[in-house]
């Protein structure tokens, strides 16, 4: 392009049918971005207020309704917080099966995001339906892996959407050995498929980008952190969930009903790329070897590597589920007794989209006095805006409006399936100065 | 592969229960599931619909629709005349037609597929279905049951274990 500068105003007014309804405003004047706002305008859902006064036994099923894609994350985080407060020591069986349950969610959520949402972007397709014309085997494989994740969730939760299996103290029931044997075979059969998925995602050409950001994820002494661990950051932070508020802050922004989180006053990244940046050496040997084979250099500063990170975590989750189910036994009881007590409970886990933090103040009867839930989506909001700004500058502001919009969509889709939903509904109005 | 599957899609929201009510009406009318006939109620299955199409020779799918018509209006679509869909692809909203379109691209559609849409009015969470929609689900159940009898009587080996003139089967799955 020549020296002539243009003014571009891109408004994405409605991002519909999503858990987080949002819009994107972008204005470019004289070759500079003068306005860039990811507006989340979904009416507040008041989930934290709904929880007030509720008995602890109701909490797992209530918080599962927060998200149709990652209900296990909400259930497990809430359960762990309350169990910690109540001094409940889970049976090792329940602790292991919570991780298996969570693996199912990672498998289904990541597979859905890779195949139905993110991958079409990189093949010039508008949808998975178009992608299926040129990569039918890969899409079929993705659907099989996603279905297996759902099956694993159903095994412990009775259903994959808003499952009902978790209770404070363990689970409501334990699957019989015959069902475990059956799913073990399926998990084993899926390993080569997940390995092929990693190779495929690594072979997909993605934009080159290089951004400085702080990765935040849980970190565990031995395992790749999913449901257990402390909170770590790429600048060396290592804290317990109870200390979250000392380092992280949520702020309201006029243009969004989602709170914006910051770490030491700056945006930060949560999610698969943050996790793999911080915890790649915790991957099982076979997964690590395959990751090394892809040539991906970690820590990565290119958010488009989130695609590979998700594929790596699919294989990790399959390995973990298999490892834990190989030692499966039917427990004497799927749950231990619980006696509530008053106090403050905090916990966090790694939802598919990133760190999920819960805090509950409980009364003597085991009822919620107040609750606070910090989901990964709000933690990534500021980072998404920062990423959009940086990656657009790297991409080049002189591209046509459609190309700019598509690039913005790609960037947003990298972060979160809920936001990814939204970006399939971009209605753009362009004004030129 | 010799299986007929009836999939009633819905949610617990007012008229959106149309697919479920049709399944209920079928069962109340004596249609029973078994090896040859699988009957399922689905709650917004998303891409999970696609594996349910595998190894079936005939799929009958019933869902609510909003096309601007009168509540209770029943429309049948074949494989090649699905209605236009005004909403796009998303993880939370990967709808029935998205899933069927993807299945078509993947060559996963059964040899015969009948998609029934029942026009609905309100779909308020926790609401009851309106009279017109209730009546339509009973009417559609009769239509489907008649067709099942006709087809399955013409194919005796597929008619299950019963001999009372009804399509007789054994099992109903309710999946959410």
């Amino acid at each position: 392009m020549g020296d002539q500068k243009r003014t571009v105003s891109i408004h994405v007014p409605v991002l519909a049918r999503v858990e987080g309804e949002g819009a994107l405003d972008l204005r470019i004047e004289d070759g500079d971005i003068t306005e860039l706002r990811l507006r989340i305008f979904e009416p507040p859902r008041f989930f934290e207020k709904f929880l007030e006064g509720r008995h602890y036994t109701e909490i797992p099923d209530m918080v599962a309704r927060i998200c149709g894609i990652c209900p296990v994350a909400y259930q497990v985080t809430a359960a762990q917080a309350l169990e910690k407060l109540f001094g409940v020591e889970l049976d090792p069986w329940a602790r292991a099966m919570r991780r298996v349950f969570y693996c199912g969610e990672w498998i289904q959520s990541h597979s859905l995001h890779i195949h139905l949402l993110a991958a079409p972007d990189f093949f010039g397709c508008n949808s998975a339906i178009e992608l299926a014309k040129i990569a039918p085997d890969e899409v079929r494989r993705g659907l099989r892996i996603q279905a297996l994740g759902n099956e694993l969730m159903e095994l412990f939760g009775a259903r994959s959407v808003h499952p009902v299996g978790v209770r404070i103290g363990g689970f409501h029931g334990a699957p019989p050995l015959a069902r475990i044997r059956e799913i073990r075979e399926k998990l084993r059969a899926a390993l080569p498929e997940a390995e092929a998925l990693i190779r495929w995602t690594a072979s997909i050409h993605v934009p080159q980008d290089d951004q400085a950001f702080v990765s935040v994820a849980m970190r565990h002494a031995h395992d790749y952190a999913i449901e257990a661990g402390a909170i770590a950051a790429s600048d060396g932070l290592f804290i317990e969930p109870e200390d979250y508020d000392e380092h992280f802050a949520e702020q309201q922004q006029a243009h969004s009903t989602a709170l914006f989180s910051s770490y030491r006053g700056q945006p930060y990244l949560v999610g698969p790329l943050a996790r793999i940046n911080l915890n790649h050496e915790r991957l099982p040997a076979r997964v690590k070897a395959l990751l090394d084979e892809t040539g991906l250099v970690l820590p990565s500063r290119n958010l488009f590597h989130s695609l590979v990170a998700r594929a790596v975590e699919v294989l990790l989750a399959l390995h973990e589920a298999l490892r834990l189910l190989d030692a499966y036994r039917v427990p004497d009881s799927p749950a231990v007794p619980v006696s509530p007590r008053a106090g403050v409970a905090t916990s966090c886990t790694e939802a598919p989209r990133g760190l999920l933090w819960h805090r509950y103040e409980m009364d003597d009867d085991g009822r919620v006095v107040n609750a606070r839930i910090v989901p990964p989506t709000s933690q990534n909001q500021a980072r998404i805006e920062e990423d959009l700004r940086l990656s657009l500058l790297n991409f080049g502001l002189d591209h046509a409006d459609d190309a700019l919009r598509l690039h913005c969509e790609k960037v947003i889709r990298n972060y979160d399936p809920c936001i990814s939903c939204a970006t399939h509904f971009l209605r753009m109005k362009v004004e030129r100065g | 592969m010799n299986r007929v599957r009836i999939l009633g899609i819905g949610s617990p929201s007012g008229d959106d229960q149309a697919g479920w009510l049709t399944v209920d009406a079928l069962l109340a009318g004596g249609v029973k599931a078994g090896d040859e006939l699988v009957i399922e109620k689905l709650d917004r299955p998303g891409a999970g619909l696609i594996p349910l199409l595998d190894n079936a020779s005939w799929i009958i799918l019933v869902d609510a629709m909003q096309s601007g018509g009168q509540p209770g209006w029943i429309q049948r679509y074949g494989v090649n005349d699905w209605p236009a869909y005004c909403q796009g692809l998303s993880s939370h909203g990967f709808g029935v037609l998205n899933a069927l379109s993807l299945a078509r691209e993947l060559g996963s559609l059964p040899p015969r597929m009948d998609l029934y849409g029942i026009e609905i009015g309100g779909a308020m969470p926790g609401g009851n279905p309106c009279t017109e929609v209730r009546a339509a689900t009973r009417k559609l159940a009769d239509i489907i049951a008649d067709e099942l009898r006709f087809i399955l009587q013409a194919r005796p080996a597929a008619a299950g274990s019963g001999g009372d003139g009804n399509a007789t089967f054994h099992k109903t799955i309710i999946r959410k």
Side-chain angles (χ1 to χ4, degrees):
Chain A
M1 297 288 286
D3 292 336
Q4 186 182 358
K5 302 295 185 186
R6 60 178 183 159
T7 297
V8 179
S9 179
I10 297 175
H11 299 289
V12 183
V14 178
L15 309 173
R17 290 182 64 203
V18 294
E19 195 173 296
E21 293 178 356
L24 178 66
D25 296 333
L26 171 65
R27 187 168 179 83
I28 300 166
E29 289 183 80
D30 296 330
D32 280 329
I33 297 172
T34 55
E35 181 191 14
L36 194 158
R37 295 190 308 180
L38 180 65
R39 288 189 287 119
I40 302 297
F41 55 79
E42 177 181 357
R45 296 171 73 204
F46 302 118
F47 251 99
E48 288 143 320
K49 293 302 280 183
F50 293 157
L51 293 170
E52 289 180 8
R54 294 289 184 167
H55 197 246
Y56 75 90
T57 52
E58 299 177 280
I59 305 307
D61 291 341
M62 290 188 71
V63 297
R65 266 66 175 182
I66 292 174
C67 182
I69 300 292
C70 55
V72 173
Y74 285 90
Q75 287 189 311
V76 171
T77 310
Q80 289 185 167
L82 298 175
E83 285 155 359
K84 191 160 56 176
L85 172 65
F86 299 160
V88 174
E89 186 62 34
L90 284 190
D91 183 291
W93 173 88
R95 208 176 312 124
M97 292 311 116
R98 288 261 179 92
R99 186 170 171 90
V100 173
F101 192 32
Y102 219 129
C103 284
E105 182 163 281
W106 274 27
I107 293 166
Q108 68 84 15
S109 177
H110 283 353
S111 192
L112 182 152
H113 187 259
I114 291 169
H115 298 91
L116 298 188
L117 300 167
D121 280 338
F122 304 111
F123 289 86
C125 300
N126 288 316
S127 70
I129 296 162
E130 286 184 22
L131 180 64
K133 294 180 200 290
I134 56 177
D137 292 340
E138 287 79 3
V139 173
R140 270 192 212 98
R141 181 181 62 207
L143 291 172
R144 282 195 298 274
I145 295 172
Q146 184 186 341
L148 182 56
N150 279 330
E151 198 174 332
L152 203 50
M153 292 168 74
E154 288 163 13
L155 186 65
F156 291 95
R159 59 193 192 199
S160 60
V161 178
H162 309 319
V164 290
V166 168
R167 56 174 287 183
I168 309 303
F171 285 90
H172 286 290
L177 203 51
R179 287 197 67 196
I180 299 295
R181 286 197 193 102
E182 194 182 316
I183 201 147
R184 275 200 307 240
E185 290 315 304
K186 292 180 181 178
L187 291 166
R188 227 178 294 281
L191 289 175
E193 297 219 293
E195 292 178 2
L197 173 62
I198 293 176
R199 293 192 181 96
W200 180 63
T201 53
S203 73
I204 295 172
H205 178 74
V206 297
Q208 293 304 304
D209 210 353
D210 184 39
Q211 299 181 12
F213 53 80
V214 173
S215 294
V216 173
M218 287 169 63
R219 190 167 165 80
H220 187 271
H222 313 293
D223 297 326
Y224 193 90
I226 299 177
E227 84 298 353
I231 299 170
S234 51
D235 64 359
L237 179 80
F238 192 77
I239 57 167
E240 293 301 319
E242 290 76 9
D243 301 326
Y244 179 85
D245 274 335
E246 291 176 25
H247 302 271
F248 297 86
E250 288 186 297
Q251 286 180 318
Q252 215 158 16
Q253 299 279 350
H255 63 277
S256 177
T257 56
L259 294 172
F260 278 61
S261 295
S262 60
Y263 165 57
R264 295 178 177 165
Q266 298 296 317
Y268 60 99
L269 176 72
V270 299
L273 191 65
R275 287 194 291 256
I276 208 166
N277 274 346
L278 290 176
N279 295 324
H280 56 94
E281 80 285 2
R282 298 279 192 275
L283 290 167
R286 175 66 193 138
V287 183
K288 180 82 167 58
L290 206 58
L291 175 60
D292 292 343
E293 196 185 295
T294 67
L296 185 67
V297 178
L298 294 172
S300 167
R301 289 156 53 110
N302 182 356
L303 258 294
F304 290 108
H305 289 150
S306 299
L307 193 70
V308 184
R310 285 192 174 89
V312 168
E313 289 191 338
V314 167
L315 182 61
L316 161 87
L318 288 171
H319 272 281
E320 281 298 279
L322 253 179
R323 177 178 70 81
L324 294 164
L325 290 178
D326 276 343
Y328 187 86
R329 59 177 174 81
V330 178
D332 294 335
S333 170
V336 293
V338 174
S339 298
R341 63 180 178 222
V344 172
T346 55
S347 182
C348 58
T349 66
E350 284 289 340
R353 284 167 274 160
L355 185 70
L356 171 64
W357 185 84
H358 288 207
R359 179 189 184 277
Y360 300 92
E361 186 181 345
M362 307 295 291
D363 68 15
D364 286 326
D365 297 327
R367 294 187 184 278
V368 176
V369 177
N370 61 61
R372 208 173 125 218
I373 294 173
V374 182
T377 300
S378 72
Q379 295 184 77
N380 271 338
Q381 290 306 299
R383 175 84 265 278
I384 294 171
E385 286 193 352
E386 182 183 58
D387 187 351
L388 281 165
R389 184 179 294 275
L390 293 171
S391 67
L392 276 173
L393 290 172
N394 184 43
F395 180 63
L397 300 179
D398 290 335
H399 282 86
D401 296 346
D402 279 348
L404 289 176
R405 184 184 62 177
L406 178 60
H407 195 78
C408 289
E409 290 181 1
K410 284 183 186 177
V411 168
I412 294 168
R413 272 194 277 270
N414 264 324
Y415 284 83
D416 181 282
C418 294
I419 298 295
S420 302
C421 295
T423 56
H424 283 281
F425 295 92
L426 290 181
R427 287 204 291 262
M428 186 177 73
K429 181 182 172 190
V430 179
E431 294 172 4
R432 295 176 186 277
Chain B
M1 181 179 80
N2 205 11
R3 309 188 79 188
V4 181
R5 282 189 200 157
I6 300 174
L7 307 175
I9 296 177
S11 74
S13 301
D15 289 353
D16 197 33
Q17 298 171 61
W20 294 356
L21 292 173
T22 304
V23 166
D24 291 342
L26 273 167
L27 298 173
V31 174
K32 295 173 186 167
D35 292 339
E36 286 295 319
L37 175 61
V38 171
I39 303 176
E40 297 199 42
K41 285 181 179 177
L42 304 174
D43 183 352
R44 296 156 288 186
L49 180 62
I50 297 170
L52 299 177
L53 308 179
D54 287 343
N55 300 315
S57 55
W58 180 17
I59 297 280
I60 299 169
L61 194 151
V62 184
D63 196 7
M65 69 174 183
Q66 288 183 314
S67 65
Q70 288 295 314
W73 180 58
I74 299 170
Q75 179 66 34
R76 174 174 170 165
Y77 302 95
V79 172
N80 297 313
D81 62 347
W82 293 333
Y85 200 50
C86 62
Q87 291 168 315
L89 187 66
S90 73
S91 60
H92 285 240
F94 193 87
V96 168
L97 291 180
N98 296 128
L100 294 179
S101 300
L102 183 52
R104 176 155 57 194
E105 287 302 332
L106 296 172
S108 300
L109 289 182
R112 178 173 175 182
M113 170 136 196
D114 297 325
L115 170 61
Y116 289 97
I118 297 177
E119 188 75 26
I120 65 167
M124 285 296 290
N128 292 317
C130 69
T131 307
E132 293 84 353
V133 167
R134 281 187 185 279
T137 62
R138 289 192 293 270
K139 180 178 170 188
L140 179 55
D142 288 342
I143 293 169
I144 293 171
D146 284 346
E147 196 155 14
L148 282 172
R149 280 187 203 99
F150 179 77
I151 296 289
L152 297 179
Q153 280 173 358
R155 199 177 63 188
S161 58
D164 58 1
N166 283 330
T168 51
F169 310 93
H170 305 290
K171 187 174 63 177
T172 301
I173 300 168
I174 298 181
R175 191 196 298 256
K176 292 191 80 174

